[in-house]
Amino acid sequence: DAHRRRPSRRAVALALLAPLVAVLGVTVKGRSDDTTRRTVRTVALVPFAVAGPEAAGRYLSAGVPALLAGSLAEGSVDGEGRRLHTVMLDDESGAEGSTALLVEARAAGAERVVTGSVVWSAGALTASATLLDAADGRTLARAEVTAPRDSVAAIARRLAAQLLLRDGAEPPEHEGALGNLPLPILRRYLCGREALRDGRYAEAVDDFAAVLAADSTNAFAALGLASAADWVRDDVPVGHVLARAW
């Protein structure tokens, strides 16, 4: 019967997944013990410190965090139709993680704060960003990107991807394959990973399927889909999904 068939099907799926797990270094598991992650509705950003020409500094100080805010919000609509809200704080409220900065961010309704800096050098910009928990100032993720000076929008997008991946506890070795996904698709992948960890398998199936619809060769999404589908769906061809991605 179905009750007896399920363990056998899991065994078959895990056998199919084993080579991918070994090569990709992905942990496949069910419900996570860490279910305390709070839903983030608002992120506050402050002007970035800039080392470089004064005229460029004025633009980059406000421009990079503004572009980063747009990138962080891109594709962020949740299951209730709400989009991530970003708010720009008016001034640099002291050092990273300072009490004044955290108080101002919380007053703006933010759960997260982004601080950063930009270094202007010959032919290139190096931008760094730090994601903080507004409740206690803990550093949740750091990102750094170096690119040509005319690539400010691309720099902001790459900073956003790094922050999202690192805040989502994605292993660093996965960034090469995931960091170039369109940001809305990257968010779906990270939502799928969180749903899989929390045992929300039907949601995980939907999220990973959306990623594969955009990138059918994404092995990480294929692995997640196969693992989640084994718990809740009988109509997903696990072997076919993995073979296509692999």
Side-chain angles (χ1 to χ4, degrees):
D1 59 22
H3 178 72
R4 293 181 179 178
R5 181 169 57 85
R6 176 63 67 182
S8 175
R9 190 168 184 267
R10 281 203 297 272
V12 171
L14 289 174
L16 289 167
L17 295 174
L20 276 177
V21 172
V23 174
L24 300 178
V26 178
T27 300
V28 180
K29 57 185 177 181
R31 184 176 299 277
S32 167
D33 291 332
D34 180 14
T35 57
T36 60
R37 290 176 62 86
R38 294 177 297 141
T39 299
V40 176
R41 305 291 186 198
T42 303
V43 175
L45 298 94
V46 297
F48 281 17
V50 178
E54 183 178 353
R58 287 195 297 269
Y59 163 67
L60 294 171
S61 179
V64 173
L67 290 168
L68 177 56
S71 294
L72 288 172
E74 186 178 349
S76 63
V77 177
D78 63 16
E80 299 175 10
R82 290 177 292 195
R83 192 169 186 261
L84 178 73
H85 178 60
T86 59
V87 57
M88 298 296 299
L89 303 183
D90 290 335
D91 51 30
E92 298 176 73
S93 305
E96 177 181 304
S98 70
T99 300
L101 171 60
L102 300 178
V103 168
E104 186 177 356
R106 291 195 297 267
E111 298 90 3
R112 298 284 189 269
V113 186
V114 176
T115 64
S117 64
V118 181
V119 176
W120 174 290
S121 61
L125 294 176
T126 297
S128 303
T130 301
L131 181 68
L132 305 172
D133 189 322
D136 54 19
R138 285 182 300 118
T139 296
L140 302 173
R142 294 185 186 276
E144 182 174 291
V145 174
T146 299
R149 292 200 304 248
D150 61 356
S151 305
V152 178
I155 288 173
R157 187 226 165 271
R158 288 170 58 192
L159 284 175
Q162 287 184 20
L163 290 176
L164 290 171
L165 285 165
R166 294 170 188 179
D167 186 39
E170 197 68 21
E173 59 269 23
H174 295 184
E175 289 187 8
L178 297 171
N180 291 323
L181 289 172
L183 288 170
I185 301 303
L186 176 59
R187 279 192 170 277
R188 288 299 297 268
Y189 172 81
L190 293 171
C191 286
R193 286 277 284 168
E194 185 170 359
L196 182 59
R197 287 194 296 265
D198 291 349
R200 294 179 280 113
Y201 302 115
E203 292 180 35
V205 166
D206 290 343
D207 287 328
F208 289 129
V211 176
L212 288 169
D215 177 9
S216 63
T217 63
N218 191 292
F220 299 107
L223 180 59
L225 176 61
S227 181
D230 182 60
W231 290 91
V232 294
R233 296 273 293 274
D234 292 324
D235 60 340
V236 175
V238 173
H240 175 69
V241 169
L242 293 175
R244 184 175 62 175
W246 191 244

mmCIF file of all heavy atoms in Angstrom, residues 94-115:
data_model
loop_
_atom_site.group_PDB
_atom_site.id
_atom_site.type_symbol
_atom_site.label_atom_id
_atom_site.label_comp_id
_atom_site.label_asym_id
_atom_site.label_seq_id
_atom_site.Cartn_x
_atom_site.Cartn_y
_atom_site.Cartn_z
ATOM 1 N N GLY A 94 26.874 56.617 12.588
ATOM 2 C CA GLY A 94 27.935 56.031 13.386
ATOM 3 C C GLY A 94 28.502 54.775 12.767
ATOM 4 O O GLY A 94 28.266 54.442 11.617
ATOM 5 N N ALA A 95 29.288 54.072 13.555
ATOM 6 C CA ALA A 95 29.993 52.895 13.067
ATOM 7 C C ALA A 95 29.032 51.740 12.805
ATOM 8 O O ALA A 95 27.907 51.700 13.309
ATOM 9 C CB ALA A 95 31.044 52.466 14.092
ATOM 10 N N GLU A 96 29.531 50.801 11.999
ATOM 11 C CA GLU A 96 28.743 49.610 11.675
ATOM 12 C C GLU A 96 28.279 48.927 12.955
ATOM 13 O O GLU A 96 29.074 48.603 13.834
ATOM 14 C CB GLU A 96 29.625 48.654 10.859
ATOM 15 C CG GLU A 96 28.968 47.335 10.513
ATOM 16 C CD GLU A 96 29.919 46.461 9.723
ATOM 17 O OE1 GLU A 96 30.398 46.908 8.670
ATOM 18 O OE2 GLU A 96 30.193 45.343 10.179
ATOM 19 N N GLY A 97 26.976 48.686 13.067
ATOM 20 C CA GLY A 97 26.438 48.005 14.236
ATOM 21 C C GLY A 97 26.297 48.901 15.453
ATOM 22 O O GLY A 97 26.000 48.413 16.549
ATOM 23 N N SER A 98 26.520 50.219 15.316
ATOM 24 C CA SER A 98 26.428 51.114 16.470
ATOM 25 C C SER A 98 24.995 51.183 16.969
ATOM 26 O O SER A 98 24.040 50.938 16.234
ATOM 27 C CB SER A 98 26.920 52.519 16.104
ATOM 28 O OG SER A 98 25.998 53.144 15.224
ATOM 29 N N THR A 99 24.859 51.554 18.228
ATOM 30 C CA THR A 99 23.530 51.653 18.828
ATOM 31 C C THR A 99 22.668 52.663 18.096
ATOM 32 O O THR A 99 21.480 52.418 17.834
ATOM 33 C CB THR A 99 23.654 52.042 20.305
ATOM 34 O OG1 THR A 99 24.406 51.037 21.000
ATOM 35 C CG2 THR A 99 22.273 52.157 20.947
ATOM 36 N N ALA A 100 23.250 53.814 17.729
ATOM 37 C CA ALA A 100 22.471 54.859 17.047
ATOM 38 C C ALA A 100 21.925 54.345 15.719
ATOM 39 O O ALA A 100 20.766 54.606 15.367
ATOM 40 C CB ALA A 100 23.341 56.086 16.822
ATOM 41 N N LEU A 101 22.748 53.625 14.985
ATOM 42 C CA LEU A 101 22.312 53.093 13.696
ATOM 43 C C LEU A 101 21.183 52.087 13.869
ATOM 44 O O LEU A 101 20.171 52.137 13.163
ATOM 45 C CB LEU A 101 23.489 52.430 12.982
ATOM 46 C CG LEU A 101 23.168 51.637 11.714
ATOM 47 C CD1 LEU A 101 22.523 52.537 10.671
ATOM 48 C CD2 LEU A 101 24.431 50.990 11.164
ATOM 49 N N LEU A 102 21.331 51.198 14.826
ATOM 50 C CA LEU A 102 20.308 50.168 15.041
ATOM 51 C C LEU A 102 18.995 50.776 15.520
ATOM 52 O O LEU A 102 17.912 50.355 15.103
ATOM 53 C CB LEU A 102 20.816 49.134 16.050
ATOM 54 C CG LEU A 102 22.092 48.383 15.646
ATOM 55 C CD1 LEU A 102 22.506 47.422 16.748
ATOM 56 C CD2 LEU A 102 21.906 47.641 14.339
ATOM 57 N N VAL A 103 19.096 51.777 16.386
ATOM 58 C CA VAL A 103 17.883 52.436 16.879
ATOM 59 C C VAL A 103 17.155 53.117 15.726
ATOM 60 O O VAL A 103 15.921 53.016 15.602
ATOM 61 C CB VAL A 103 18.239 53.464 17.982
ATOM 62 C CG1 VAL A 103 17.039 54.363 18.278
ATOM 63 C CG2 VAL A 103 18.679 52.745 19.242
ATOM 64 N N GLU A 104 17.897 53.799 14.863
ATOM 65 C CA GLU A 104 17.279 54.489 13.731
ATOM 66 C C GLU A 104 16.636 53.480 12.778
ATOM 67 O O GLU A 104 15.543 53.707 12.249
ATOM 68 C CB GLU A 104 18.311 55.330 12.983
ATOM 69 C CG GLU A 104 17.708 56.181 11.877
ATOM 70 C CD GLU A 104 18.719 57.069 11.188
ATOM 71 O OE1 GLU A 104 19.892 57.080 11.615
ATOM 72 O OE2 GLU A 104 18.329 57.759 10.217
ATOM 73 N N ALA A 105 17.317 52.363 12.541
ATOM 74 C CA ALA A 105 16.774 51.344 11.644
ATOM 75 C C ALA A 105 15.492 50.742 12.212
ATOM 76 O O ALA A 105 14.494 50.577 11.499
ATOM 77 C CB ALA A 105 17.810 50.251 11.412
ATOM 78 N N ARG A 106 15.497 50.426 13.498
ATOM 79 C CA ARG A 106 14.290 49.853 14.108
ATOM 80 C C ARG A 106 13.149 50.854 14.108
ATOM 81 O O ARG A 106 11.981 50.483 13.918
ATOM 82 C CB ARG A 106 14.602 49.377 15.534
ATOM 83 C CG ARG A 106 15.531 48.167 15.592
ATOM 84 C CD ARG A 106 15.512 47.520 16.966
ATOM 85 N NE ARG A 106 15.997 48.411 18.006
ATOM 86 C CZ ARG A 106 17.266 48.466 18.422
ATOM 87 N NH1 ARG A 106 18.181 47.690 17.847
ATOM 88 N NH2 ARG A 106 17.628 49.284 19.390
ATOM 89 N N ALA A 107 13.466 52.132 14.303
ATOM 90 C CA ALA A 107 12.424 53.165 14.267
ATOM 91 C C ALA A 107 11.782 53.234 12.886
ATOM 92 O O ALA A 107 10.607 53.608 12.757
ATOM 93 C CB ALA A 107 13.010 54.513 14.653
ATOM 94 N N ALA A 108 12.546 52.869 11.855
ATOM 95 C CA ALA A 108 12.015 52.861 10.485
ATOM 96 C C ALA A 108 11.306 51.551 10.165
ATOM 97 O O ALA A 108 10.835 51.365 9.036
ATOM 98 C CB ALA A 108 13.152 53.086 9.490
ATOM 99 N N GLY A 109 11.233 50.647 11.153
ATOM 100 C CA GLY A 109 10.534 49.378 10.958
ATOM 101 C C GLY A 109 11.370 48.300 10.311
ATOM 102 O O GLY A 109 10.833 47.282 9.845
ATOM 103 N N ALA A 110 12.695 48.482 10.273
ATOM 104 C CA ALA A 110 13.564 47.533 9.578
ATOM 105 C C ALA A 110 14.004 46.389 10.483
ATOM 106 O O ALA A 110 14.294 46.591 11.669
ATOM 107 C CB ALA A 110 14.788 48.246 9.029
ATOM 108 N N GLU A 111 14.050 45.197 9.904
ATOM 109 C CA GLU A 111 14.608 44.032 10.600
ATOM 110 C C GLU A 111 16.076 43.817 10.253
ATOM 111 O O GLU A 111 16.796 43.126 10.966
ATOM 112 C CB GLU A 111 13.843 42.750 10.240
ATOM 113 C CG GLU A 111 12.381 42.753 10.640
ATOM 114 C CD GLU A 111 11.483 43.315 9.540
ATOM 115 O OE1 GLU A 111 12.004 43.649 8.449
ATOM 116 O OE2 GLU A 111 10.274 43.427 9.764
ATOM 117 N N ARG A 112 16.506 44.388 9.141
ATOM 118 C CA ARG A 112 17.881 44.249 8.673
ATOM 119 C C ARG A 112 18.435 45.624 8.305
ATOM 120 O O ARG A 112 17.686 46.527 7.923
ATOM 121 C CB ARG A 112 17.964 43.334 7.445
ATOM 122 C CG ARG A 112 17.497 41.904 7.680
ATOM 123 C CD ARG A 112 18.529 41.113 8.428
ATOM 124 N NE ARG A 112 18.181 39.698 8.473
ATOM 125 C CZ ARG A 112 17.470 39.140 9.454
ATOM 126 N NH1 ARG A 112 17.027 39.894 10.456
ATOM 127 N NH2 ARG A 112 17.210 37.847 9.440
ATOM 128 N N VAL A 113 19.758 45.754 8.389
ATOM 129 C CA VAL A 113 20.436 46.998 8.027
ATOM 130 C C VAL A 113 21.601 46.649 7.110
ATOM 131 O O VAL A 113 22.304 45.661 7.340
ATOM 132 C CB VAL A 113 20.994 47.732 9.267
ATOM 133 C CG1 VAL A 113 21.563 49.094 8.869
ATOM 134 C CG2 VAL A 113 19.942 47.881 10.339
ATOM 135 N N VAL A 114 21.809 47.464 6.082
ATOM 136 C CA VAL A 114 22.957 47.291 5.198
ATOM 137 C C VAL A 114 23.842 48.532 5.284
ATOM 138 O O VAL A 114 23.383 49.655 5.084
ATOM 139 C CB VAL A 114 22.528 47.068 3.734
ATOM 140 C CG1 VAL A 114 23.771 47.001 2.826
ATOM 141 C CG2 VAL A 114 21.717 45.789 3.598
ATOM 142 N N THR A 115 25.117 48.302 5.616
ATOM 143 C CA THR A 115 26.118 49.354 5.579
ATOM 144 C C THR A 115 27.140 48.989 4.504
ATOM 145 O O THR A 115 27.166 47.855 4.023
ATOM 146 C CB THR A 115 26.834 49.500 6.930
ATOM 147 O OG1 THR A 115 27.562 48.286 7.207
ATOM 148 C CG2 THR A 115 25.835 49.741 8.056
#
